[in-house]
Each structure stands twice: as structure tokens, then as C-alpha cells.
Amino acid sequence: MSRMDFTPLSQYIDRITAWRIPWAEVIVMHRNETVFRYRNGYADLERQTPADERNLIHIYSMTKIMTCTAALQLAEKGAMLLNDPLSAYLPEFADMTVRRTLPDGETAMDRAKKPILVRDLFTMTAGFSYDLGALSIREAVSQTAGELPVRDFARALAKEPLLFEPGTRWNYSLCHDVLAALVEAVDGRRFGQYIAEEITGPLGMLDTGFDLSDEQRSRLAPQYEFNESLGKPVRKDGNGFRIGTAFESGGAGLISTASDYVLFLNALTNMGTSPDGTRILSPASVDLMRTDHLTDNMRNDYSWVQLHGYGYGLGVRTHTSKAESGCLSPLGEFGWSGAAGCLAVIDPASELTVMYAQHLLNNQEHYVHPRLKNIVYGCL
């Protein structure tokens, strides 16, 4: 391959950080080599501190890729099957109710006809909402003195009615937080400990976890939210998905650095094995993860504009139609993104991994991410 020129990519980072994103960083790995890395902007706008590669950030929903990886490891070991009923491991989900809206606008509660299957947690088809303020959850937070361990969270969520019959529709929801509880129930270790011992530890990821040391806390980058009326980003720290001090959120709880998380993403690009031979998943599991699991009925629910031409696998978008996406990546390219704007591009066919980081809520991902992907592939 001829020498790649990533000038358009650095120009793009310059452009979006001059626009409304305080700072951004991108790492491009090709065949296990970092072929390009660039950042611009201020990690701390008030102090005008430039972003640096040791900045820790909330990666929010990019946690979901790792949670699904953890659960797939257990499926590989025969500890559970994707078609098992969830209640075999978390009995609180045995008798669920489904909330129905009647023609007159009243709501009725019916007993669910179908069980929630383990696969429904992976594929966002269990029927949960993303309402962390639900009454049962708020009660569980106070009953656990603000800690809300993952298993207590799951027991609380099980008391809430489902939005639809399990396995019939797609809804972006708390499925992967329940998946973390399933990992705990099946394995016996606390979720964060499982992640540390089975994924981040083996991969040498020293800066990824749910809780920070004092040294790491000093490197956590300020987080911002763009204020439309003021026309500028305003400081907004904290993770709103972390609703308990012991709540290791499988959906949105991890803190990491771009340098660290790219190691995990690149192992998936290599079909589950890191360059030094550390295996976190089998190639078969990576292929199952990036298979499109949507039915036609679910596809209507999965309608975010930046995901046109993508299906949904086990916790990841997966490229299924170039005609619909208008995207330059090959079919089978997969990944996900996070609430403050980070993006993962995992592409086994091209042996390409992209980790993009920023720390701005209302993140403009529908604008930033599709363009970023096309620029990367245009540079190859």
C-alpha cells in the first residue's frame, strides 16, 4: 500500500474544534501499527489547557461493546446460550408485564406472552426503556444507600413494565446494563472485576475502568455541553448514567483514554486477538457480533440518520448496504459511539481501527461521525 496521506483528517479535526467541539483526537491503526494520530483543541477551555493523550474521558455507550464482549466470552465457555430465557439466570425477569396503549389513550397491563431471551439483551429487543428515573429504580437507589449495585439495579428494572413483547421490536435501552448483571450472575465476579481480569488486564489497558484512582482523577478531562443560547460550550461534569456509587454501568459507565480503548477495538479488528497474541474472543464470536440481527419490524425502530445502511448486531452497528449508507467503509465494518461523542470504527476486512475521542455532550455525532469515517477511508 502506498504511503497514506492523512492531511484531510487533521484538517477536519482542526475544523470541528474551531467550530463548537472543545477538543478532538483521532487514532488510526492499520495492520496493528498506529499510522496516524492527531488532536487539537483545549481539554480545559477556561484554563486553555491543550488536550493531551493522557486525558481520561467518559466513553459512555462505547462501554456497550466491551459489555457484549464480556457476555460473549461466557457464551463461548458454554456458561449460557443466547437463546436461553433470561430468567434462568436472573429469576426476577420470569413474569414480565407489557404496557399497552388502548385506542382511547388509556394504558393496560398485559402479561408478556414471550420470555426475554439472553439474545434480547445483546440486540436491544427486550422491551426495556432508557428511563433511569423510573420509580422502581429510584426506590432501589435509596434502599441501597445510593450504591445501587448492578444486581439490585436489575431487580428494580424487572418491576417496570416492558414497552413491547420481547423480541418483536428494537429500542435503545438499558439492555446492556442488565447484560452486566447477567455476567455477574453467571460468572460470580463483580462486573468491573470481570472486565479487569478478563479484558482490560490481559490487553494491558491500565486506564480503563468504572472507578478512578486519585492519580487518574487528576487526568479526567472536563466535560462540556454546548449551550445554544450562549453559543458556546459550558462545563458539565459527571456521568448522568452512573446513578449509584457502586453501579458499574454496562451501558455507559466506563472511563478510558483514546490510547487505551483503541487497544480493545484493535483486538476486535483482529477478530478477537491482540497483536501480542492475547485472545479475548474467537473469530466466530466476532462474526456473530457483527451479524445484522434486525428483523424488518425492528428496522423501522432503528432509524437514526447516521446509521442508514447499517444493521444492528450484538451491541454494535454493522455496515450492510453501501447504497443506503453512502459510506466509504466496506460491508462488515462495525462499532458504536458514546454520548460525549467518541466513535469506534472496527474493520477486519481493511485491518483498520479508528478511535475518535471528544468530551462534549450534545455531541453533533450525526454530523461529525459519518464525515470522519469517509475522510479516513478517503485517505487510505
Side-chain angles (χ1 to χ4, degrees):
M1 192 176 272
S2 59
R3 208 177 74 75
M4 298 172 251
D5 177 12
F6 286 101
T7 310
L9 188 52
S10 52
Q11 288 171 338
Y12 181 66
I13 297 290
D14 292 345
R15 181 154 69 88
I16 59 177
T17 51
W19 169 48
R20 60 190 293 167
I21 291 161
W23 64 271
E25 173 167 18
V26 66
I27 300 172
V28 181
M29 291 186 72
H30 182 249
R31 294 183 182 154
N32 300 323
E33 298 294 324
T34 300
V35 291
F36 184 72
R37 177 168 196 157
Y38 185 77
R39 77 187 75 83
N40 198 359
Y42 295 110
D44 188 321
L45 287 175
E46 290 73 31
R47 294 185 178 159
Q48 301 272 291
T49 316
D52 78 60
E53 63 187 37
R54 299 180 72 248
N55 284 141
L56 283 145
I57 59 167
H58 296 287
I59 63 163
Y60 292 108
S61 288
M62 261 167 49
T63 304
K64 292 178 166 78
I65 311 175
M66 192 173 283
T67 300
C68 290
T69 297
L72 276 172
Q73 288 181 335
L74 294 173
E76 277 186 2
K77 296 188 176 100
M80 60 176 181
L81 294 170
L82 266 64
N83 287 325
D84 283 341
L86 175 60
S87 61
Y89 309 99
L90 297 172
E92 59 264 32
F93 290 99
D95 292 309
M96 298 301 289
T97 53
V98 180
R99 180 188 282 124
R100 267 194 320 132
T101 306
L102 300 170
D104 61 3
E106 295 290 304
T107 58
M109 297 296 178
D110 296 335
R111 256 188 85 151
K113 297 179 194 66
K114 297 174 151 214
I116 298 172
L117 302 180
V118 169
R119 60 174 299 128
D120 292 319
L121 296 183
F122 283 99
T123 58
M124 293 282 176
T125 54
F128 301 134
S129 76
Y130 223 131
D131 180 12
L132 287 162
L135 182 62
S136 309
I137 295 175
R138 288 208 312 272
E139 284 175 353
V141 172
S142 62
Q143 282 162 6
T144 58
E147 289 189 351
L148 195 67
V150 170
R151 297 289 299 278
D152 292 271
F153 157 80
R155 279 189 283 271
L157 184 67
K159 296 175 186 166
E160 294 291 323
L162 299 175
L163 302 180
F164 50 79
E165 280 287 338
T168 61
R169 295 188 55 186
W170 187 88
N171 188 49
Y172 197 56
S173 65
L174 292 163
C175 280
H176 295 164
D177 293 279
V178 179
L179 196 57
L182 176 65
V183 169
E184 289 196 358
V186 168
D187 178 76
R189 279 173 282 184
R190 217 181 68 249
F191 185 60
Q193 185 188 355
Y194 181 96
I195 290 288
E197 291 174 6
E198 300 298 335
I199 302 177
T200 57
L203 291 175
M205 299 167 65
L206 305 176
D207 268 336
T208 302
F210 294 101
D211 294 294
L212 299 174
S213 67
D214 289 341
E215 185 277 325
Q216 286 172 323
R217 197 163 285 112
S218 70
R219 293 191 280 124
L220 182 62
Q223 182 175 261
Y224 293 88
E225 184 167 55
F226 196 86
N227 183 304
E228 298 292 346
S229 56
L230 295 175
K232 66 173 191 179
V234 175
R235 184 91 177 245
K236 189 180 181 182
D237 289 327
N239 178 345
F241 297 92
R242 178 94 193 233
I243 51 172
T245 53
F247 182 52
E248 295 173 329
S249 165
L254 282 176
I255 296 165
S256 189
T257 63
S259 316
D260 228 32
Y261 217 65
V262 77
L263 299 174
F264 166 63
L265 302 177
N266 190 59
L268 295 177
T269 296
N270 288 327
M271 300 302 287
T273 302
S274 75
D276 72 1
T278 303
R279 177 152 145 164
I280 55 167
L281 276 183
S282 67
S285 291
V286 176
D287 269 337
L288 183 63
M289 179 183 251
R290 65 183 180 137
T291 296
D292 178 18
H293 287 71
L294 297 178
T295 61
D296 288 342
N297 205 30
M298 296 165 188
R299 224 170 289 283
N300 297 327
D301 303 320
Y302 182 74
S303 55
W304 302 346
V305 61
Q306 70 270 26
L307 293 175
H308 286 180
Y310 282 82
Y312 191 76
L314 304 181
V316 291
R317 66 167 195 277
T318 182
H319 197 184
T320 53
S321 167
K322 288 192 180 201
E324 282 180 58
S325 70
C327 180
L328 299 177
S329 67
L331 301 184
E333 171 263 313
F334 67 107
W336 200 242
S337 58
C342 57
L343 171 73
V345 177
I346 306 164
D347 179 358
S350 309
E351 299 178 89
L352 183 83
T353 308
V354 181
M355 171 72 199
Y356 169 77
Q358 58 170 59
H359 217 206
L360 178 75
L361 299 162
N362 60 7
N363 54 47
Q364 308 300 314
E365 76 169 50
H366 62 282
Y367 181 94
V368 173
H369 292 174
R371 285 171 170 79
L372 184 91
K373 265 189 293 190
N374 278 352
I375 293 166
V376 168
Y377 283 94
C379 292
L380 295 185

